[in-house]
Amino acid sequence: MVTTKTDKKARPKPFLFPQFCKACGRCIEACPKDCIHVGTQIDPNSGLTPVVVELDKCNGCGLCIDACPEPYGLMPVEGEIEDMSLMDPAQIFGPRQTSAPKPEPIPGTLVPLPDLEPMVLKGTHAAAVGAILAGCRHVFGYPITPSTEGAELMAKLLPQLDGVFVQAVSEVATVNIMYGCGGAGLRCATFTSSPGFSLMLEGISYMIGAELPGVFFNIMRGGPGLGNIGPEQSDISLVCRGLGHGNTHAVVLAPSTPQEMLDLTIAAFDISFEYRNPVVIAADGYLGQMTGRVELPKTLTKPGIPQWAVYGDRAHRGNLITSIYIIEADLEIHNEKILAKYDRMIENEQRANCFRCDDAEWLVIACNTPARMAKGAVQELRDQGIKAGLFRPITLWPFPIKQLTPLLDRARGLIVVEAGPGQLEDEVRLALSHADIRNAPPFSHVRRYGGVLPQQQEIVDKVTALVEA
Amino acid sequence: MDGVFYNRFERHAHGEGLKGQSTHYCAGCGHGLVHKYLADAIDELGVQDRTIAISPVGCAVFMYYYLDVGNSQAAHGRAPAVALGHKMANPESIVICYQGDGDLASIGLAEIIQATQMGIPMSIIFVNNAIYGMTGGQMAPTTLMEQQTTTTPTGRDRLTGEPMRMAETIGQLSGPVYVERVALYDNKQRVRAQKAIKKALRVQVENRGLGFVEVLSECPTHLHMSPSDAEQWVKQEMVPIFPLGVKKDVDTEPWFNLDEPNFEPDDIVTVIGSSTESSAKGTEPFPSHIDAEDISLKFAGAGGDGAQTIAMLTTRTAINAGYDSTHIPSYGPESRGGTSYADVHIATTEVLSPASLKPHVLVAFNPQSLEKFGPTVRDGGVVLYDSTVIAEPPQMDPGIKTYGIPFTQIAVDLGKAMVKNTVALGATVAATKIFPVERFVNTMEDALKNKCALLPINREAFNRGIEAVEALDKTR
Ligand SMILES: Cc1ncc(C[n+]2csc(CCOP(=O)(O)OP(=O)(O)O)c2C)c(N)n1
Ligand code: SF4
Ligand code: SF4
Ligand code: SF4
């Protein structure tokens, strides 16, 4: 019988399939009895010159086996070695890679909640409560304003639910702890803000490559560089088009009220696990800090363990989390799989909210906090008899082109309102282009930068000017 | 044949040909030996099913081809972070973090220091071969002085720094329980290496802490030597710089313990601070004497004045009264002793713009705030300010109702300067008649339900604020 480890008492003797010897010679020096010699014959399978083992003087000390770097190089054998050399290795090693069982998925369950009073919560706290209700008990993060309160609340609450908050040494460490925790099949999240999110990109690309779930709150702030902690929306290109290297995308959700911070957080975890892909919640600093009324859902999630998880138990022993596909053809297949997943997201996940859009001639497009100012402006314009409407994308990627398209026929102008340099407008333009819509109404915009939010009056003035032009 | 190595390395080029049974390592590479000792240790400790091996970026990137355990492959340098994620996710798992010297001692320094200092039971296997193997023989942080590599073609010199001694560095941290440096160059060292690796696992399996083993290893390929010369090189050149032996070994009790996460609805309701009982909520008439549908207030002062607290109480009161309301603070550096502004909106159905650029009501705690925001208050609005610190208020628009009330003095007279914000809140309620007094009192009681001792003085302060406004109104 062949065993891979050295059973010292049994004093088995070494056996070598010559084709698995790399001729390193480590065993030659290791043998005190001079049993092993440099070979002279090239092995036709490996093209190398394996050592020659002559066991006449062998005392079974096993030192040569412990010196051989190859798992199936020198192996300890009890009994008749002659028989071994006649055997087919395939028979000895068996047909299967592993004895690990095929894992079954352990499904999660929805547990009913009692009827609860609405809460009064700030945006980051609403997200934290949403994560708890979504079954997340693992949060990792590195402090950065204006996202930190979410992490702070988690640090306080999670231990009370036997969950874990770990303050990582950096955002780089954070995303990789999430890679581990998500890889174990658990629901985990982080709260960060623009500079911190930049640091996470390599890890997010790895998570996408390894098909791991995880929820990222990016409470966007003013940039570039250290910028400031004011509310900007200038990570839209980053989250929609630049999630690290390689073929990367993730569903990006853009809440605009504390209520949506909670609701979309719950949705984010489900989407993340459904597709085995990270999900980004892109909020702005204003929304993160804003307190408002928040209704709680009727159920909470008690998560299970997915089939693919590397959980650290017998059932999941056969699993692997990796983003490496070293053979080009394999990586191409993997990318095709990922692309098909993106297609499913594009097909199923587009979300938007329309306010007075049905007969709108002037379509204001805005998300996050600027959408609130835009809504106020639309209301004011309507009071003046101007047919304005607000189209508010809730998913920034995939952009909700399905919901936008039917509104375009009636629209005389698209006014993109954003706290940033036109990144939302880029998404709208790209979405139109991908949908082959060439006769879209003309674009104009209201943009502020650096943490300054567009105000209702600016939007009203812009649209009024367009109407009068 | 059931060992800790896969029977067939199917992940190695689909296990075709010899690859099904042989590694991707060069002849004589130390990595293969370390893998074997790891497999032995996992087997002997009986933890194969629970083990998760983290493959690094480096030549050991494909460790998952070989070890029949749960496998996870990490980004360059981040194996300790990934390991931590796995261990936190399942404290019962046995997590092995395997890293090369570039991975651990260069790009991943922050992660390894955090993980080892945390000291959560894990096993770190650090393969120090004094070179970057995978990328083709560049300088590693552990490269010896004068050693030639492709990025130190004339030998490592002062400009590129001295070799990093990681076992010593990790050994002086308080986190790990066991740190040892071993080598592979002869039978004796190999026996020690086997023992050390087993021990690094055992301290984890016994739940006693983190074990760290640095293995001086041969990279014959990039040393441009035969494996046996490489063994001699490690012995003669590396060992003097990286002395072998135990760097730390402390006796500890098993300690790491995380309970199963709790998903009990009742516990969750309590923890998030929600409640099922309806705490005297209802519908008050909307204070339309201020605005028909959207009222904005601004509370402005210095950090510590308590502007945010009363802004929040106002928001809660409005929500309890059945309306939508938002509160948004200024924050960040501004909140550190500097200014502290709070914008509050109350709307019949939905607050749109949450900023109070043109407030109906301004409460100012200091001259700067009054000066800055006084002019933004709408015609017909109300301004309240702390006359203790604002002796001479600027001229206000005649359409604005102004109340100078000594918030601070009243609070000091009550024996607690801190409650000046509650005085201001009482005054605001009286001056604006925004919602009935009882509704604010309810909110206050609710907010202070865990700090009952503070309730009487706050109620008193609140009443004094109301009285001060009433007294002023009488004189008008
Ligand atoms: C972010 C990043 N930077 C650089 C690399 C390229 N890289 C791959 S392996 C490696 C060095 C590995 O050296 P070491 O950790 O000593 O392991 P060895 O190959 O010697 O076993 C580098 C720099 C990478 N994969 N990722
Ligand atoms: S078991 Fe010992 S004596 Fe026998 S060949 Fe190996 S090293 Fe030599
Ligand atoms: S140690 Fe193993 S691989 Fe090296 S020469 Fe000996 S049998 Fe061959
Ligand atoms: S390059 Fe060096 S470290 Fe890498 S496999 Fe070859 S010998 Fe080992």
Side-chain angles (χ1 to χ4, degrees):
Chain A
M1 194 43 233
V2 180
T3 51
T4 44
K5 61 171 179 166
T6 324
D7 187 347
K8 297 265 152 68
K9 272 178 240 132
R11 291 233 158 208
K13 296 195 174 173
F15 171 77
L16 181 67
F17 284 115
Q19 64 268 43
F20 301 140
C21 171
K22 286 190 174 156
C24 71
R26 276 191 184 253
C27 55
I28 298 176
E29 285 165 62
C31 178
K33 299 282 180 191
D34 203 18
C35 303
I36 309 177
H37 306 286
V38 180
T40 50
Q41 288 202 330
I42 295 179
D43 182 274
N45 295 303
S46 68
L48 300 171
T49 314
V51 291
V52 178
V53 188
E54 284 159 12
L55 295 177
D56 303 349
K57 286 180 276 170
C58 173
N59 63 8
C61 70
L63 290 170
C64 57
I65 296 164
D66 288 350
C68 177
E70 283 295 311
Y72 297 117
L74 283 169
M75 291 185 296
V77 175
E78 288 164 43
E80 267 321 298
I81 285 178
E82 309 309 317
D83 307 348
M84 283 283 298
S85 53
L86 299 174
M87 282 174 75
D88 175 9
Q91 216 181 322
I92 296 178
F93 298 119
R96 286 179 50 222
Q97 167 169 339
T98 175
S99 60
K102 256 207 156 356
E104 296 291 330
I106 303 169
T109 48
L110 283 179
V111 183
L113 272 173
D115 281 340
L116 296 169
E117 286 293 319
M119 296 181 76
V120 181
L121 293 171
K122 67 164 64 183
T124 46
H125 287 183
V129 168
I132 287 175
L133 296 173
C136 166
R137 294 291 177 275
H138 293 80
V139 171
F140 311 103
Y142 188 82
I144 181 166
T145 310
S147 73
T148 313
E149 281 112 329
E152 286 169 341
L153 187 65
M154 283 307 208
K156 184 173 150 199
L157 302 187
L158 283 178
Q160 300 174 38
L161 294 168
D162 298 314
V164 177
F165 172 81
V166 176
Q167 180 168 324
V169 75
S170 68
E171 287 85 354
V172 175
T174 300
V175 65
N176 288 289
I177 300 175
M178 290 174 72
Y179 182 99
C181 190
L186 269 55
R187 297 185 161 214
C188 64
T190 191
F191 289 84
T192 190
S193 177
S194 311
F197 192 80
S198 284
L199 271 185
M200 293 181 171
L201 293 174
E202 184 203 24
I204 291 177
S205 168
Y206 270 71
M207 288 179 76
I208 292 171
E211 301 192 85
L212 297 183
V215 172
F216 293 79
F217 295 98
N218 180 4
I219 315 292
M220 297 182 283
R221 60 184 245 180
L226 198 52
N228 64 23
I229 55 171
E232 220 183 12
Q233 295 174 292
S234 51
D235 298 353
I236 289 180
S237 298
L238 186 67
V239 295
C240 292
R241 306 281 147 201
L243 290 179
H245 56 286
N247 170 17
T248 57
H249 274 300
V251 171
V252 177
L253 298 165
S256 87
T257 59
Q259 180 72 57
E260 273 190 339
M261 287 290 271
L262 182 135
D263 296 343
L264 295 181
T265 297
I266 295 173
F269 279 99
D270 292 339
I271 295 170
S272 189
F273 272 76
E274 156 126 25
Y275 295 97
R276 286 185 65 180
N277 201 65
V279 171
V280 180
I281 296 189
D284 59 72
Y286 218 63
L287 179 55
Q289 293 296 319
M290 191 198 309
T291 298
R293 176 190 162 95
V294 177
E295 306 263 357
L296 297 172
K298 302 266 177 260
T299 53
L300 65 87
T301 305
K302 183 173 193 265
I305 297 181
Q307 200 169 13
W308 49 260
V310 173
Y311 185 69
D313 59 0
R314 180 166 174 79
H316 299 90
R317 193 182 93 203
N319 287 338
L320 164 68
I321 302 294
T322 185
S323 60
I324 307 175
Y325 293 82
I326 204 77
I327 298 169
E328 287 84 348
D330 292 348
L331 187 56
E332 186 170 47
I333 292 168
H334 182 57
N335 268 283
E336 279 163 0
K337 180 178 170 203
I338 289 178
L339 286 167
K341 218 157 69 166
Y342 296 156
D343 283 343
R344 277 197 290 131
M345 293 178 199
I346 291 168
E347 184 56 32
N348 302 326
E349 301 303 334
Q350 296 182 22
R351 297 171 189 222
N353 177 277
C354 296
F355 175 66
R356 309 204 66 169
C357 283
D358 286 349
D359 61 344
E361 295 175 356
W362 304 98
L363 215 47
V364 179
I365 303 179
C367 62
N368 298 131
T369 299
R372 302 182 73 135
M373 284 70 172
K375 195 168 183 181
V378 164
Q379 191 68 58
E380 198 175 323
L381 289 161
R382 285 278 175 172
D383 291 346
Q384 295 172 19
I386 296 172
K387 286 188 173 172
L390 169 66
F391 180 79
R392 179 166 70 84
I394 293 174
T395 47
L396 300 183
W397 195 95
F399 190 88
I401 190 69
K402 286 190 202 173
Q403 288 88 338
L404 180 61
T405 307
L407 308 177
L408 294 173
D409 285 346
R410 212 171 287 107
R412 292 167 58 192
L414 303 177
I415 304 95
V416 184
V417 175
E418 56 189 308
Q423 299 182 351
L424 178 60
E425 185 172 326
D426 284 349
E427 287 309 309
V428 184
R429 286 177 180 271
L430 257 173
L432 290 172
S433 164
H434 283 305
D436 254 336
I437 297 169
R438 288 152 207 274
N439 54 351
F443 275 88
S444 42
H445 54 249
V446 178
R447 293 176 187 167
R448 299 300 300 264
Y449 325 94
V452 181
L453 291 169
Q455 290 304 329
Q456 186 167 321
Q457 195 58 49
E458 295 171 78
I459 306 166
V460 170
D461 291 349
K462 183 80 189 182
V463 177
T464 316
L466 287 171
V467 174
E468 285 163 5
Chain B
M1 205 173 110
D2 261 350
V4 172
F5 284 111
Y6 290 120
N7 287 342
R8 201 144 50 92
F9 304 146
E10 278 168 12
R11 291 174 183 142
H12 189 190
H14 304 290
E16 281 158 18
L18 291 183
K19 291 187 172 167
Q21 254 79 40
S22 57
T23 68
H24 70 290
Y25 294 114
C26 310
C29 176
H31 279 301
L33 282 175
V34 180
H35 286 17
K36 264 176 79 162
Y37 303 163
L38 256 178
D40 277 357
I42 292 165
D43 200 11
E44 276 181 41
L45 292 166
V47 292
Q48 181 178 10
D49 283 338
R50 288 157 66 198
T51 296
I52 297 172
I54 318 293
S55 304
V57 168
C59 282
V61 65
F62 300 123
M63 185 167 69
Y64 65 79
Y65 287 174
Y66 314 116
L67 293 181
D68 185 358
V69 296
N71 280 292
S72 187
Q73 197 289 317
H76 194 24
R78 317 303 169 204
V82 174
L84 204 54
H86 277 286
K87 192 72 183 181
M88 289 297 182
N90 178 9
E92 298 289 309
S93 58
I94 300 301
V95 180
I96 297 167
C97 174
Y98 188 107
Q99 299 186 264
D101 43 40
D103 201 70
L104 181 141
S106 183
I107 195 169
L109 265 177
E111 282 77 8
I112 192 64
I113 297 289
Q114 175 173 43
T116 48
Q117 179 62 347
M118 279 176 82
I120 303 258
M122 295 200 291
S123 310
I124 317 269
I125 308 299
F126 169 41
V127 176
N128 174 1
N129 56 14
I131 200 118
Y132 279 15
M134 188 188 213
T135 41
Q138 298 80 16
M139 183 190 72
T142 46
T143 292
L144 303 183
M145 297 311 284
E146 287 163 34
Q147 184 184 337
Q148 287 183 0
T149 71
T150 60
T151 48
T152 55
T154 55
R156 187 174 192 178
D157 59 17
R158 284 289 303 275
L159 281 179
T160 46
E162 301 259 341
M164 293 276 283
R165 293 182 180 87
M166 288 314 294
E168 286 76 5
T169 304
I170 303 294
Q172 58 83 39
L173 297 177
S174 44
V177 295
Y178 166 63
V179 180
E180 181 167 358
R181 183 184 286 120
V182 295
L184 305 169
Y185 56 76
D186 63 22
N187 286 335
K188 198 168 124 200
Q189 303 312 325
R190 286 188 285 263
V191 170
R192 286 189 178 153
Q194 284 172 301
K195 283 195 178 138
I197 288 169
K198 205 164 294 165
K199 180 158 177 176
L201 255 72
R202 192 180 303 116
V203 293
Q204 178 181 188
V205 172
E206 289 172 356
N207 201 16
R208 292 199 292 117
L210 183 138
F212 180 100
V213 178
E214 173 171 343
V215 185
L216 302 186
S217 174
E218 294 79 13
C219 171
T221 300
H222 295 301
L223 289 174
H224 307 291
M225 293 177 190
S226 71
S228 85
D229 287 350
E231 286 178 340
Q232 289 313 302
W233 186 83
V234 170
K235 181 177 177 181
Q236 281 155 18
E237 305 294 330
M238 281 186 87
V239 171
I241 306 298
F242 300 110
L244 303 178
V246 175
K247 310 292 169 183
K248 183 171 183 186
D249 190 2
V250 290
D251 217 14
T252 47
E253 293 298 311
W255 66 276
F256 181 63
N257 178 34
L258 294 174
D259 286 329
E260 288 267 311
N262 181 342
F263 297 99
E264 281 307 314
D266 292 347
D267 294 339
I268 291 167
V269 169
T270 311
V271 166
I272 64 176
S274 173
S275 60
T276 44
E277 79 265 18
S278 161
S279 54
K281 284 173 190 156
T283 314
E284 304 288 347
F286 192 75
S288 50
H289 58 282
I290 308 177
D291 191 284
E293 48 197 31
D294 188 339
I295 297 165
S296 68
L297 304 93
K298 191 163 206 102
F299 299 85
D305 280 340
Q308 304 301 339
T309 311
I310 58 172
M312 184 58 100
L313 284 173
T314 306
T315 295
R316 282 175 182 273
T317 304
I319 290 174
N320 287 348
Y323 298 102
D324 191 28
S325 179
T326 58
H327 159 222
I328 166 102
S330 60
Y331 53 90
E334 286 190 340
S335 67
R336 251 162 260 131
T339 52
S340 174
Y341 312 141
D343 290 2
V344 171
H345 271 255
I346 301 168
T348 47
T349 49
E350 185 187 357
V351 174
L352 299 171
S353 303
S356 298
L357 299 181
K358 290 188 212 153
H360 296 89
V361 179
L362 169 68
V363 179
F365 286 92
N366 59 26
Q368 301 89 306
S369 302
L370 185 57
E371 215 161 288
K372 186 164 179 188
F373 299 115
T376 67
V377 177
R378 290 185 204 202
D379 196 30
V382 178
V383 172
L384 299 107
Y385 65 88
D386 188 349
S387 60
T388 317
V389 293
I390 308 174
E392 286 173 42
Q395 194 61 44
M396 288 285 163
D397 205 281
I400 291 168
K401 216 167 172 186
T402 308
Y403 292 87
I405 289 169
F407 303 149
T408 309
Q409 192 56 51
I410 293 175
V412 169
D413 290 347
L414 285 172
K416 210 170 178 102
M418 230 178 69
V419 297
K420 68 178 169 187
N421 63 338
T422 314
V423 176
L425 183 63
T428 307
V429 174
T432 61
K433 313 242 171 342
I434 186 162
F435 290 112
V437 167
E438 306 77 65
R439 220 172 243 296
F440 276 92
V441 173
N442 282 347
T443 315
M444 211 150 68
E445 282 171 351
D446 200 38
L448 291 174
K449 66 172 180 259
N450 297 325
K451 297 180 199 155
C452 295
L454 292 176
L455 195 55
I457 187 156
N458 274 287
R459 289 194 67 155
E460 187 57 28
F462 186 72
N463 287 337
R464 293 289 178 89
I466 296 174
E467 286 161 18
V469 164
E470 286 170 352
L472 271 184
D473 274 342
K474 272 190 203 128
T475 65
R476 285 185 201 233

